[in-house]
């Protein structure tokens, strides 16, 4: 297997520079190039449509405000002055982290591209995990205490799928328990439904008092809840499984609810249950269940993040780092009373025009979704992409000014992550607007790069968070 490693928001690396820890031969570089080129400039939406084995989080990529579905996962660049050579091909990335598996026609020469966050500590080992920043965001957003899983961290492995299960289970059950009509084949003394004459003669000759009947009932004990139950049992069998399934009260209650609703569960039926769930749910009301269904299938196939490796299609798991960053900040800023409109859920929006309720305009045209705001005090925008020396991109600046003007708020700011070595006074700037006035601030959250362990990283991050909240409060309270 050819293993390549890079970071998000990488401006360009050759295949040789991404190859860790091994040194690739010319043939290996050519093979990796052939696998990567078909991905170049192809949007995430197109790739996920063609490759069902590629899991993307969040699952509703079409509704994210940064329109990540329309952006390429990677960009391959070849210098115009040179003839095509795999050795000089450079790969650039955006706000995406995770794993992408690229099967090859050559047996045993599969390419696995690993994209860490740009805040991962440098290591020459492909397998060793030092991406504490990504783990920390996942812990905060998905409510799983990863730092308590000592045995997992020591092995240097990270089964993303299992840790995401509680989040998607709770999200799906918020819609209510999934129920559908199920056919039961009974053979007892109680006559219900339609008598199955052929089966009755076969099973009840000589007659012993039982009647073979077929009953169709709407029940919660169906193919999908059985799939969820099998997934729970698989996770429970792992050394860290009980911790994940009881990470909080809501998760513990959700797991108990599924167990209680599946009295017909049988461990030996797992293969049949998987086959019944290969066709994903299409009903729009149960979109959250479709995401959970896909996740459960991946877990039950017991192939971790590279599930689907036997397939000839692209597989893996990808995270929208911009979404993770925004959701992480939502939990952090909630402590200071900031509101967080959510574009994906279509809630908390504000109108751009005074007569928007009565004007015949498209909702997407007349609604705005500032990331965070306190009425009459402050509006903040979350940005994960690189910001150098506190210089805000023009389009981001115009967006923030629009929010401030429409909401009649004089204080605005951009919150972004930066490495602790880059954290200087130049990164926290204040700009004063002309015209109606107002101030725009840049707030850099210092991400530690010298942590010895995950627990050490968490302690340093908490200190950075306190500093950030203090600076924000000083700005809008002054």
């Amino acid at each position: 297997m050819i293993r390549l490693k890079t970071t998000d928001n990488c401006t360009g690396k050759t295949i040789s520079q991404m190859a860790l820890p091994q040194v690739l031969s010319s043939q290996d570089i050519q093979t990796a190039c052939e696998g990567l080129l078909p991905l170049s400039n192809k949007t995430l939406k197109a790739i996920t449509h063609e490759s069902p084995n590629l899991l993307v989080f969040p699952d509703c990529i079409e509704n994210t405000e940064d329109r990540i579905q329309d952006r390429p996962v990677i960009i391959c660049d070849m210098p115009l002055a040179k003839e095509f050579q795999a050795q000089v091909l450079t790969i650039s990335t955006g706000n995406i982290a995770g794993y992408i598996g690229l099967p090859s026609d050559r047996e045993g020469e599969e390419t696995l591209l690993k994209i860490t966050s740009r805040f991962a500590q440098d290591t020459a080992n492909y397998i060793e995990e030092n991406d504490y920043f990504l783990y920390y965001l996942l812990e905060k957003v998905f409510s799983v205490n990863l730092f308590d899983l000592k045995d997992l961290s020591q092995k240097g492995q990270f089964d993303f799928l299992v840790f995401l299960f509680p989040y998607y289970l709770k999200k799906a059950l918020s819609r209510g328990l999934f129920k559908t009509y199920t056919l039961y084949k009974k053979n007892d003394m109680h006559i219900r439904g339609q008598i199955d004459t052929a089966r009755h003669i076969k099973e009840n000759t000589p007659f012993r008092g039982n009647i073979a009947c077929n009953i169709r009932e709407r029940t919660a004990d169906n193919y999908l809840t059985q799939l969820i139950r099998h997934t729970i049992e698989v996770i429970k069998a792992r050394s860290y499984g009980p911790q994940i399934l009881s990470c909080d009260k809501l998760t513990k209650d959700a797991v108990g609810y599924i167990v209680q609703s599946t009295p017909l569960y049988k461990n030996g039926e797992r293969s049949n249950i998987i086959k019944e769930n290969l066709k994903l749910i299409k009903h729009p009301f149960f979109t959250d269940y479709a995401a959970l269904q896909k996740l459960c299938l991946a877990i039950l196939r017991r192939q971790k993040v590279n599930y689907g490796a036997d397939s000839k299609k692209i597989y893996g798991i990808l995270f929208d780092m911009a979404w993770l960053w925004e959701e992480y900040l939502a939990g952090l800023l909630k402590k200071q009373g900031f509101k967080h409109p959510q574009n994906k859920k279509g809630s908390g929006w504000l109108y751009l025009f005074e007569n928007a309720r009565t004007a015949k305009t498209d909702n997407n045209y007349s609604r705005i979704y500032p990331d965070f705001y306190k009425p009459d005090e402050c509006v903040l925008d979350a940005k994960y992409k690189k910001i150098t020396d506190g210089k805000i991109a023009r389009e981001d600046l115009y967006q923030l000014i629009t929010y401030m003007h429409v909401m009649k708020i004089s204080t605005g700011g951009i919150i972004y992550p930066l490495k602790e070595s880059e954290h200087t006074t130049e990164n926290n700037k204040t700009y004063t607007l002309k015209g109606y006035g107002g101030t725009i601030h840049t707030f850099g959250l210092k991400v530690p790069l010298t942590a010895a362990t995950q627990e050490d990283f968490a302690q340093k991050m908490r200190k950075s968070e306190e500093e950030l909240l203090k600076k924000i409060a000083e700005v809008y309270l002054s």
Side-chain angles (χ1 to χ4, degrees):
M1 178 180 288
I2 302 170
R3 300 180 184 273
L4 306 178
K5 184 177 179 181
T6 186
T7 66
D8 67 63
N9 289 277
C10 174
T11 55
K13 283 186 178 181
T14 64
I15 294 175
S16 296
Q17 291 172 333
M18 294 191 298
L20 292 175
Q22 76 272 37
V23 177
L24 298 182
S25 65
S26 298
Q27 181 62 48
D28 289 337
I29 293 176
Q30 184 66 32
T31 300
C33 178
E34 292 172 357
L36 292 170
L37 278 176
L39 287 181
S40 181
N41 291 311
K42 184 174 287 188
T43 65
L44 185 58
K45 183 177 181 180
I47 295 174
T48 53
H49 179 73
E50 297 170 1
S51 307
N53 289 342
L54 180 65
L55 303 179
V56 180
F57 298 92
D59 49 288
C60 300
I61 58 174
E62 291 86 355
N63 297 325
T64 51
E65 188 175 0
D66 56 1
R67 301 191 63 81
I68 189 175
Q69 81 279 5
D70 296 329
R71 299 183 181 182
V73 176
I74 63 172
I75 298 176
C76 299
D77 184 53
M78 176 68 64
L80 295 176
K82 297 185 178 181
E83 296 181 0
F84 176 80
Q85 295 180 5
Q87 285 79 2
V88 298
L89 183 77
T90 59
I91 309 298
S92 300
T93 59
N95 288 335
I96 290 291
Y99 299 75
I100 308 176
L102 306 168
S104 172
D105 292 333
R106 301 183 181 92
E107 186 176 355
E109 294 188 354
E110 179 182 37
T111 301
L112 183 61
L113 174 62
K114 179 179 180 180
I115 307 174
T116 68
S117 79
R118 63 182 184 273
F119 301 100
Q121 298 184 28
D122 293 333
T123 174
N125 192 333
Y126 182 92
I127 304 299
E128 184 181 353
E129 293 284 0
N130 286 328
D131 199 353
Y132 299 145
F133 181 67
L134 175 58
Y135 302 166
Y136 189 76
L137 294 188
L138 289 172
E139 177 197 15
K140 295 300 182 180
V141 173
F142 293 105
S143 301
V144 178
N145 192 353
L146 306 181
F147 302 112
D148 286 343
L149 306 177
K150 308 292 184 183
D151 58 332
L152 191 68
S153 60
Q154 290 173 358
K155 294 178 182 178
Q157 299 176 351
F158 191 73
D159 190 346
F160 290 111
L161 302 180
V162 173
F163 300 121
L164 299 178
F165 178 76
Y167 175 85
Y168 281 90
L169 174 63
K170 291 181 288 187
K171 190 176 179 183
L173 284 179
S174 67
R175 291 281 187 177
L177 194 60
F178 180 81
K179 294 184 179 181
T180 187
Y181 284 97
T182 302
L183 180 66
Y184 295 98
K185 295 185 177 182
K186 302 287 187 179
N187 187 27
D188 51 34
M189 299 177 62
H190 304 286
I191 302 177
R192 289 191 301 164
Q194 183 180 9
I195 297 177
D196 190 336
T197 305
R199 188 162 59 87
H200 174 71
I201 294 174
K202 181 180 179 180
E203 297 181 5
N204 298 317
T205 302
F207 184 67
R208 292 172 295 179
N210 293 339
I211 304 293
C213 301
N214 295 331
I215 306 170
R216 189 169 181 268
E217 293 181 339
R218 189 170 184 270
T219 176
D221 193 359
N222 50 63
Y223 68 96
L224 182 53
T225 51
Q226 283 287 338
L227 180 75
I228 301 171
R229 173 66 183 277
H230 280 276
T231 306
I232 290 173
E233 297 302 325
V234 166
I235 295 175
K236 191 183 297 183
R238 303 192 182 193
S239 59
Y240 49 85
Q243 291 174 269
I244 294 174
L245 296 177
S246 59
C247 59
D248 56 45
K249 187 179 184 302
L250 288 177
T251 300
K252 191 173 182 180
D253 292 344
V255 169
Y257 198 26
I258 292 295
V259 172
Q260 184 181 5
S261 302
T262 51
L264 299 180
Y265 165 78
K266 293 181 181 178
N267 184 57
E269 294 291 324
R270 186 161 299 162
S271 297
N272 293 331
I273 292 297
I274 291 176
K275 290 179 181 178
E276 290 181 35
N277 282 273
L278 291 179
K279 186 176 181 181
L280 297 180
I281 298 173
K282 298 296 184 182
H283 197 288
F285 182 78
F286 293 109
T287 301
D288 293 335
Y289 269 103
L292 177 62
Q293 184 182 29
K294 193 173 182 179
L295 182 64
C296 289
L297 287 172
I299 294 174
L300 291 179
R301 287 170 176 176
R302 298 171 180 266
Q303 289 178 316
K304 294 187 178 180
V305 295
N306 57 338
Y307 108 89
D310 296 331
S311 172
K312 290 298 181 183
K313 294 184 178 181
I314 297 170
Y315 63 88
I317 178 172
L318 295 174
F319 294 96
D320 177 5
M321 293 299 294
W323 177 81
L324 273 177
W325 172 246
E326 182 179 328
E327 292 302 307
Y328 156 71
L329 288 178
L332 191 63
L333 293 173
K334 186 178 180 181
K335 301 174 183 178
Q336 290 197 345
F338 278 87
K339 295 184 178 182
H340 177 43
Q342 299 186 54
N343 187 26
K344 285 205 310 167
K345 295 182 179 180
S347 63
W349 68 81
L350 301 172
Y351 285 109
L352 188 63
F353 306 114
E354 195 68 46
N355 61 339
R357 294 179 181 273
T358 56
K360 295 181 179 179
T361 58
D362 180 32
N363 285 337
N364 293 328
Y365 181 74
S366 61
R367 293 176 180 176
I368 58 174
Y369 293 85
D371 289 341
F372 311 101
Y373 72 94
K374 293 187 75 173
D376 304 323
E377 293 187 20
C378 184
V379 57
L380 299 173
D381 203 20
K383 296 298 178 187
Y384 179 75
K385 59 187 178 183
K386 288 183 179 179
I387 296 179
T388 305
D389 296 331
K391 295 179 181 178
I392 309 171
R394 291 173 67 88
E395 61 273 15
D396 298 333
L397 189 61
Y398 294 161
Q399 182 185 46
L400 183 58
I401 293 173
T402 300
Y403 293 157
M404 294 170 62
H405 178 79
V406 172
M407 301 171 68
K408 297 181 180 179
I409 293 177
S410 61
T411 304
I414 298 284
I415 306 180
Y416 64 101
L418 77 163
K419 299 178 181 179
E420 59 181 349
S421 58
E422 302 171 345
H423 193 270
T424 63
T425 54
E426 292 295 320
N427 295 112
N428 296 314
K429 291 187 175 181
T430 299
Y431 301 93
T432 302
L433 293 171
K434 297 182 67 175
Y436 290 106
T439 56
I440 292 179
H441 308 263
T442 57
F443 302 102
L445 176 64
K446 181 172 60 177
V447 179
L449 297 180
T450 57
T453 63
Q454 294 176 354
E455 293 88 344
D456 183 32
F457 179 88
Q459 292 178 0
K460 292 181 178 180
M461 276 295 290
R462 284 192 285 269
K463 184 177 179 180
S464 295
E465 291 168 355
E466 292 175 0
E467 294 174 356
L468 175 69
L469 294 178
K470 182 179 179 181
K471 290 176 182 177
I472 293 175
E474 289 175 351
V475 166
Y476 70 79
L477 291 177
S478 60

